[in-house]
Amino acid sequence: MRPTRRKPSLPEAGVPERIVSAATGLFCEKGYAATSVAEIVARAGVTKPVLYYYYGNKAGLFRHLFVRHLESFREMLERVMAEAKTTRERLVLLTREQLSYGRRHFQEMRFILGTVLGPRRDFPRMKLEEPHQINRRLFARLFSEGMASGELRRLDIDEVCAAYMGVVLLASLRQIHQPARAPQADLAERLVDILLSGVGRERPEGDDR
Amino acid sequence: MRPTRRKPSLPEAGVPERIVSAATGLFCEKGYAATSVAEIVARAGVTKPVLYYYYGNKAGLFRHLFVRHLESFREMLERVMAEAKTTRERLVLLTREQLSYGRRHFQEMRFILGTVLGPRRDFPRMKLEEPHQINRRLFARLFSEGMASGELRRLDIDEVCAAYMGVVLLASLRQIHQPARAPQADLAERLVDILLSGVGRERPEGDDR
């Protein structure tokens, strides 16, 4: 049956937030495929037509959650780019924010990662590469500016972005697997040091110490 | 009904392989939860009791696949450790092997990653941290030897392991998202260069050029 798009007669305050919160929780706990609209509306305390009115269907709700998550990440990154001037400062702030986000929202992070990386049929069709590219473009700007200012070596921007994202991803995953562990002081600084200075004792150009 | 563990009367050659191949394909395509034993045995061309005989149930089959995958990774790593002597050579070989594996088996990689990172209820209970720790211990040996020989700076071993695993993971993910793209020549060398030498122009100790 095609859901009607007529607005329910008595919209309550906070209804979209309740739907988003219920759906996020259920998708995180059970996965997208195993979660039904009936369960979402029951947990949110609304009726199905209300959910259909706001999000069209389960797939529309999922896309909304996904885009919203990426959007808030983007805003954080823009703020860091404006706040800090050197590449090292920007990277430390950015890394700290990402680790802190991962600690506060490890369920959501599991869900996003499982979605992007998991079997394709378990979530609605969407251009996952596209939102992923948004983040990559933002990182690319940071690293391009660092190369232009002479703070960074001239390397392939995409490879540097991927290396940075990988270092942060794994550090976040360790937090997800051990959510009870206390946040490690200065972890962001140490990760940025590894990225900027490397783990080897010598530089390949021959300026060994 | 508890499956009987009696061996079927006429075991055919290659039956476990057919079950493993069918299950891997289906889990990768549909996810663990959405795949039924009926589908697996249909694709493998066997009967349910045959699957139950070899793997107990769907969860047992899943654990078998997971452990098998980790085991083959471990063997590869042991071979590289024996083959190459310097830390840089070992890392280049190891990275090349991992990238090549990711290209040849991107469905399996998606499945493994989605499983480890995705919503917890979508796959059978198992100690995921434990197999993950096996890999980490192997990497830790490589990096400890590199620090002992003076090739690497003295840093937190776990953080160096995580940084390396993150760099390789992201490079593998880029391949998974673009499986048709040609393998990039020397990508392994460039990633190892980033890890060993860093992307910054100066070392923090002050030995700038």
Side-chain angles (χ1 to χ4, degrees), chain B residues 149-165:
Chain B
S149 70
E151 290 166 277
L152 303 184
R153 294 199 281 152
R154 296 248 168 225
L155 296 165
D156 182 281
I157 292 267
D158 274 348
E159 287 169 15
V160 173
C161 284
Y164 171 67
M165 289 162 82

Side-chain angles (χ1 to χ4, degrees), chain B:
Chain B
M1 196 189 70
R2 177 117 184 84
T4 64
R5 304 284 295 216
R6 194 164 36 82
K7 186 158 182 152
S9 48
L10 284 169
E12 294 169 72
V15 161
E17 290 70 21
R18 268 154 51 198
I19 296 173
V20 160
S21 161
T24 303
L26 284 162
F27 289 162
C28 290
E29 289 161 28
K30 307 178 61 171
Y32 174 80
T35 299
S36 68
V37 168
E39 286 171 292
I40 298 169
V41 296
R43 189 179 286 194
V46 301
T47 60
K48 282 191 185 181
V50 173
L51 184 144
Y52 294 140
Y53 169 75
Y54 282 108
Y55 303 106
N57 53 24
K58 187 171 86 162
L61 177 52
F62 174 86
R63 288 192 201 93
H64 171 80
L65 294 181
F66 203 83
V67 167
R68 213 169 93 127
H69 172 84
L70 283 164
E71 199 48 45
S72 81
F73 182 80
R74 202 170 102 102
E75 281 162 16
M76 180 272 282
L77 190 48
E78 296 284 2
R79 205 177 61 240
V80 165
M81 290 292 280
E83 242 173 63
K85 290 303 161 212
T86 73
T87 301
R88 177 180 287 272
E89 283 164 6
R90 284 173 168 180
L91 284 170
V92 169
L93 273 180
L94 182 56
T95 306
R96 208 178 277 153
E97 290 269 10
Q98 288 178 89
L99 293 174
S100 152
Y101 180 90
R103 271 197 306 277
R104 285 177 289 122
H105 302 281
F106 62 90
Q107 279 275 65
E108 282 90 334
M109 269 205 62
R110 283 196 76 90
F111 176 61
I112 296 280
L113 292 171
T115 301
V116 176
L117 306 177
R120 279 299 173 112
R121 287 195 204 168
D122 198 31
F123 59 89
R125 278 187 179 282
M126 60 185 296
K127 290 189 186 168
L128 279 175
E129 281 71 20
E130 201 186 296
H132 183 70
Q133 288 305 327
I134 296 172
N135 284 354
R136 185 179 286 276
R137 264 200 301 279
L138 289 168
F139 288 127
R141 205 178 87 210
L142 189 154
F143 288 112
S144 302
E145 289 186 20
M147 288 184 201
S149 70
E151 290 166 277
L152 303 184
R153 294 199 281 152
R154 296 248 168 225
L155 296 165
D156 182 281
I157 292 267
D158 274 348
E159 287 169 15
V160 173
C161 284
Y164 171 67
M165 289 162 82
V167 168
V168 174
L169 176 62
L170 253 274
S172 296
L173 288 181
R174 294 179 67 197
Q175 297 186 138
I176 293 176
H177 278 286
Q178 298 167 302
R181 199 167 68 169
Q184 292 179 271
D186 302 330
L187 177 59
E189 285 87 339
R190 291 199 303 279
L191 295 178
V192 170
D193 172 52
I194 284 177
L195 183 80
L196 291 179
S197 307
V199 306
R201 205 176 271 291
E202 300 180 15
R203 308 296 303 241
E205 297 88 345
D207 55 345
D208 45 350
R209 305 178 293 139

Side-chain angles (χ1 to χ4, degrees), chain A residues 5-175:
Chain A
R5 304 284 296 216
R6 192 162 39 79
K7 186 156 183 155
S9 48
L10 283 171
E12 295 169 72
V15 162
E17 289 71 20
R18 268 154 52 199
I19 296 172
V20 160
S21 161
T24 302
L26 284 163
F27 289 161
C28 290
E29 290 160 27
K30 307 179 60 170
Y32 174 79
T35 299
S36 68
V37 167
E39 286 171 291
I40 298 170
V41 297
R43 187 178 287 193
V46 302
T47 59
K48 282 192 185 181
V50 173
L51 183 145
Y52 294 140
Y53 168 75
Y54 282 109
Y55 303 106
N57 53 25
K58 187 171 85 161
L61 176 52
F62 174 86
R63 286 191 202 95
H64 171 80
L65 295 181
F66 203 84
V67 168
R68 212 169 94 127
H69 173 84
L70 284 164
E71 197 49 44
S72 82
F73 182 81
R74 201 171 103 102
E75 281 163 16
M76 179 272 281
L77 190 49
E78 296 284 1
R79 205 176 62 239
V80 165
M81 290 293 279
E83 242 172 62
K85 290 302 161 215
T86 74
T87 300
R88 178 179 286 271
E89 283 164 7
R90 284 173 168 180
L91 284 170
V92 169
L93 273 180
L94 182 56
T95 306
R96 207 177 276 152
E97 290 269 11
Q98 288 177 89
L99 294 175
S100 153
Y101 180 90
R103 271 196 307 279
R104 284 178 289 123
H105 302 281
F106 63 90
Q107 279 275 64
E108 282 89 333
M109 268 205 63
R110 282 196 76 90
F111 176 60
I112 295 281
L113 292 170
T115 301
V116 176
L117 306 177
R120 278 299 172 112
R121 286 197 204 166
D122 198 33
F123 59 88
R125 278 187 178 282
M126 60 186 295
K127 290 190 186 167
L128 279 176
E129 281 70 21
E130 202 186 296
H132 183 71
Q133 287 306 326
I134 295 172
N135 285 355
R136 184 178 286 275
R137 264 200 300 280
L138 289 168
F139 288 127
R141 205 177 87 210
L142 188 154
F143 288 112
S144 301
E145 290 187 18
M147 288 183 200
S149 69
E151 290 166 276
L152 303 184
R153 294 200 282 151
R154 296 249 167 223
L155 295 165
D156 182 281
I157 291 268
D158 274 348
E159 287 169 14
V160 173
C161 284
Y164 171 68
M165 289 161 82
V167 168
V168 174
L169 176 63
L170 254 276
S172 296
L173 289 181
R174 294 179 68 198
Q175 297 187 138

